[in-house]
Amino acid sequence: MKIAFIGLGNMGGGMAANLVKAGHQVNAFDLAEQARGAAKDAGCEVFHDLKEAVQGVEAVVSMLPNGGIVKAVYENDVVGHAPAGAILLDCSTIDVATAKEVTEAATKAGYEMVDAPVSGGIAAANGGTLTFMVGGTESAFARAEPILQGMGKAVIRAGDAGAGQTAKICNNMLLAVHMIGTCEAMKMAEKLGLDPQKFYEISSQSSGSNWSLNTYTPLPGVGVQSPADNEYQGGFATALMLKDLRLAMEAAENSDSAVPLSSRAASLYEDYSGAGNGALDFSSIIKTY
């Protein structure tokens, strides 16, 4: 297929490259020259004008920082400029209301669209092993699925428009709680004299087992290889976790949901990111213990 890819940052760059590897022709657009250069090296055709990038394509994929940018890009540069038969896929993590609004506007203009945020971080984006949680009609999902499969290991329809974003913010809210709990337990075990590696070996096979411990161990030199072993570089930035938690807290308030543990996790990440740690991997919050 001929696909326009908008947003070639830490996540989008690898995703666009994997679409090329899957055999697609990719028109790549980003405001940053360095990102465009990397996309060109990966086999994409690079564009400096977004409206030109979406001309004649069969699909548009976007990976953008926030809901305001997503809305502006689709309103100003995609809808009415991409062919009416193109399928639109927004893989950004944004608020549910904006996802629904953008999809509704695109649908009224004759397009099919899905919200398809991802889980897996930079390594999975580069490796093509992302998990996509997708919101949209069954028809739109059927068209989007083969495109997403070129970038991920799992593509799951969560429901109608906005359901993908709901799944993403709830999932990452749970992840934040798990990571903080894992950090607290590992450091407490260490202070009580237990070898951290032994704690990992025991808990990872016991009732305390969870993804943050087993697959993303936050303590350097313990468990599996993770950003902790690279001075917390790469992975999933604390600032991005905080962004997702803010979206989750907004959604919790709007839905009158009780989230006391997640609210505390959001507060801890707010303080930690605000202390200058936003660029470090979110597992680095273990430093506060």
Side-chain angles (χ1 to χ4, degrees):
M1 294 179 67
K2 189 174 183 180
I3 300 172
F5 200 106
I6 307 166
L8 306 167
N10 290 334
M11 295 292 290
M15 293 165 68
N18 281 316
L19 287 177
V20 173
K21 292 176 185 177
H24 300 293
Q25 179 184 338
V26 178
N27 292 358
F29 174 83
D30 195 281
L31 294 174
E33 182 178 352
Q34 183 177 358
R36 294 195 301 269
K40 185 176 181 179
D41 291 342
C44 300
E45 183 175 356
V46 173
F47 287 76
H48 292 75
D49 184 283
L50 180 48
K51 293 183 178 70
E52 289 183 10
V54 302
Q55 293 293 315
V57 300
E58 298 167 77
V60 177
V61 181
S62 56
M63 190 61 160
L64 298 165
N66 59 59
I69 294 174
V70 169
K71 183 179 179 181
V73 162
Y74 278 91
E75 283 184 353
N76 301 329
D77 300 294
V78 176
V79 172
H81 299 280
I87 175 71
L88 311 181
L89 305 84
D90 180 41
C91 298
S92 320
T93 297
I94 64 174
D95 62 285
V96 176
T98 298
K100 289 182 177 180
E101 182 181 353
V102 172
T103 298
E104 182 180 358
T107 301
K108 285 182 179 179
Y111 297 88
E112 287 193 297
M113 184 171 186
V114 297
D115 52 285
V118 307
S119 178
I122 297 172
N126 292 334
T129 58
L130 292 166
T131 294
F132 290 89
M133 42 212 92
V134 187
T137 65
E138 291 184 2
S139 172
F141 177 76
R143 294 181 63 194
E145 186 176 18
I147 299 170
L148 297 174
Q149 285 173 338
M151 301 180 286
K153 64 177 182 180
V155 181
I156 303 166
R157 181 174 179 259
D160 291 330
Q165 299 297 346
T166 297
K168 173 63 185 288
I169 60 175
C170 290
N171 177 78
N172 279 20
M173 185 175 76
L174 179 60
L175 173 59
V177 172
H178 279 176
M179 179 56 77
I180 289 173
T182 296
C183 292
E184 291 182 356
M186 293 194 81
K187 293 303 291 185
M188 180 173 170
E190 184 179 36
K191 290 181 178 182
L192 288 170
L194 183 60
D195 180 351
Q197 178 63 30
K198 288 299 178 185
F199 174 77
Y200 165 80
E201 292 173 9
I202 293 166
S203 193
S204 64
Q205 300 183 71
S206 301
S207 56
S209 172
N210 69 84
W211 186 88
S212 294
L213 175 67
N214 295 22
T215 308
Y216 215 85
T217 317
L219 199 62
V222 178
V224 298
Q225 191 80 14
S226 70
D229 299 303
N230 189 35
E231 298 183 343
Y232 300 102
Q233 300 300 313
F236 185 49
T238 293
L240 294 179
M241 171 56 85
L242 179 57
K243 170 198 167 186
D244 290 356
L245 285 169
R246 286 171 174 167
L247 290 173
M249 293 305 100
E250 179 183 350
E253 183 176 356
N254 291 339
S255 61
D256 195 25
S257 300
V259 289
L261 287 179
S262 300
S263 178
R264 180 58 179 151
S267 177
L268 290 172
Y269 272 109
E270 194 82 53
D271 292 342
Y272 183 62
S273 183
N277 300 299
L280 295 177
D281 183 77
F282 82 109
S283 65
S284 67
I285 198 167
I286 197 169
K287 291 183 174 186
T288 63
Y289 296 95

Short mmCIF file of all heavy atoms in Angstrom, two decimals, residues 14 18 122-130 132 148-154:
data_model
loop_
_atom_site.label_atom_id
_atom_site.label_comp_id
_atom_site.label_asym_id
_atom_site.label_seq_id
_atom_site.Cartn_x
_atom_site.Cartn_y
_atom_site.Cartn_z
N GLY A 14 10.57 4.35 14.08
CA GLY A 14 10.67 2.91 13.96
C GLY A 14 9.45 2.28 13.32
O GLY A 14 9.55 1.33 12.55
N ASN A 18 9.29 0.07 9.83
CA ASN A 18 8.73 -1.29 9.76
C ASN A 18 7.66 -1.42 8.69
O ASN A 18 7.48 -2.51 8.11
CB ASN A 18 8.19 -1.70 11.13
CG ASN A 18 9.30 -2.14 12.07
OD1 ASN A 18 10.20 -2.87 11.67
ND2 ASN A 18 9.25 -1.69 13.30
N ILE A 122 9.82 2.21 22.88
CA ILE A 122 10.69 2.44 21.73
C ILE A 122 11.25 1.15 21.17
O ILE A 122 11.31 0.95 19.95
CB ILE A 122 11.84 3.40 22.11
CG1 ILE A 122 11.28 4.77 22.50
CG2 ILE A 122 12.82 3.55 20.96
CD1 ILE A 122 12.30 5.72 23.09
N ALA A 123 11.68 0.24 22.05
CA ALA A 123 12.26 -1.02 21.57
C ALA A 123 11.26 -1.81 20.74
O ALA A 123 11.61 -2.36 19.69
CB ALA A 123 12.73 -1.86 22.76
N ALA A 124 10.00 -1.83 21.17
CA ALA A 124 8.97 -2.55 20.42
C ALA A 124 8.62 -1.83 19.14
O ALA A 124 8.31 -2.46 18.12
CB ALA A 124 7.73 -2.73 21.29
N ALA A 125 8.67 -0.49 19.16
CA ALA A 125 8.41 0.27 17.94
C ALA A 125 9.47 -0.04 16.89
O ALA A 125 9.17 -0.21 15.71
CB ALA A 125 8.38 1.77 18.23
N ASN A 126 10.73 -0.10 17.33
CA ASN A 126 11.83 -0.41 16.41
C ASN A 126 11.79 -1.87 15.97
O ASN A 126 12.12 -2.20 14.82
CB ASN A 126 13.17 -0.11 17.07
CG ASN A 126 13.40 1.37 17.28
OD1 ASN A 126 12.84 2.21 16.57
ND2 ASN A 126 14.21 1.73 18.25
N GLY A 127 11.39 -2.76 16.87
CA GLY A 127 11.40 -4.19 16.57
C GLY A 127 10.13 -4.71 15.92
O GLY A 127 10.07 -5.89 15.55
N GLY A 128 9.12 -3.85 15.79
CA GLY A 128 7.86 -4.28 15.18
C GLY A 128 7.05 -5.20 16.06
O GLY A 128 6.32 -6.05 15.56
N THR A 129 7.16 -5.02 17.38
CA THR A 129 6.46 -5.91 18.32
C THR A 129 5.49 -5.15 19.22
O THR A 129 5.24 -5.56 20.35
CB THR A 129 7.47 -6.69 19.18
OG1 THR A 129 8.32 -5.76 19.88
CG2 THR A 129 8.33 -7.60 18.32
N LEU A 130 4.96 -4.05 18.73
CA LEU A 130 4.01 -3.27 19.51
C LEU A 130 2.69 -4.01 19.68
O LEU A 130 2.35 -4.90 18.89
CB LEU A 130 3.73 -1.94 18.81
CG LEU A 130 4.88 -0.93 18.76
CD1 LEU A 130 4.57 0.17 17.76
CD2 LEU A 130 5.15 -0.35 20.15
N PHE A 132 -1.28 -3.04 19.63
CA PHE A 132 -2.20 -1.97 19.26
C PHE A 132 -3.58 -2.26 19.85
O PHE A 132 -4.11 -3.35 19.70
CB PHE A 132 -2.34 -1.87 17.74
CG PHE A 132 -1.11 -1.36 17.05
CD1 PHE A 132 -0.11 -2.23 16.63
CD2 PHE A 132 -0.94 0.00 16.82
CE1 PHE A 132 1.04 -1.77 16.00
CE2 PHE A 132 0.21 0.47 16.19
CZ PHE A 132 1.19 -0.41 15.78
N LEU A 148 -1.51 -2.32 10.69
CA LEU A 148 -0.97 -2.36 12.05
C LEU A 148 -0.15 -3.62 12.28
O LEU A 148 0.84 -3.60 13.03
CB LEU A 148 -2.11 -2.28 13.06
CG LEU A 148 -2.93 -0.97 13.02
CD1 LEU A 148 -4.13 -1.06 13.96
CD2 LEU A 148 -2.06 0.22 13.39
N GLN A 149 -0.52 -4.71 11.64
CA GLN A 149 0.22 -5.96 11.81
C GLN A 149 1.66 -5.83 11.31
O GLN A 149 2.54 -6.56 11.77
CB GLN A 149 -0.49 -7.11 11.08
CG GLN A 149 -1.73 -7.60 11.80
CD GLN A 149 -2.52 -8.61 11.01
OE1 GLN A 149 -2.41 -8.69 9.78
NE2 GLN A 149 -3.31 -9.42 11.70
N GLY A 150 1.90 -4.90 10.39
CA GLY A 150 3.26 -4.66 9.92
C GLY A 150 4.13 -3.96 10.94
O GLY A 150 5.35 -3.87 10.76
N MET A 151 3.53 -3.50 12.03
CA MET A 151 4.28 -2.76 13.06
C MET A 151 4.19 -3.40 14.44
O MET A 151 4.79 -2.90 15.38
CB MET A 151 3.75 -1.32 13.14
CG MET A 151 3.85 -0.53 11.85
SD MET A 151 3.22 1.16 12.01
CE MET A 151 1.43 0.87 12.05
N GLY A 152 3.40 -4.49 14.57
CA GLY A 152 3.18 -5.02 15.91
C GLY A 152 3.01 -6.51 15.97
O GLY A 152 2.90 -7.20 14.96
N LYS A 153 2.96 -7.00 17.21
CA LYS A 153 2.77 -8.43 17.46
C LYS A 153 1.31 -8.75 17.78
O LYS A 153 0.88 -9.90 17.67
CB LYS A 153 3.64 -8.89 18.62
CG LYS A 153 3.27 -8.24 19.97
CD LYS A 153 4.11 -8.76 21.11
CE LYS A 153 3.67 -8.11 22.43
NZ LYS A 153 4.46 -8.58 23.58
N ALA A 154 0.55 -7.74 18.21
CA ALA A 154 -0.85 -7.96 18.59
C ALA A 154 -1.67 -6.75 18.19
O ALA A 154 -1.28 -5.60 18.45
CB ALA A 154 -0.98 -8.20 20.09
#
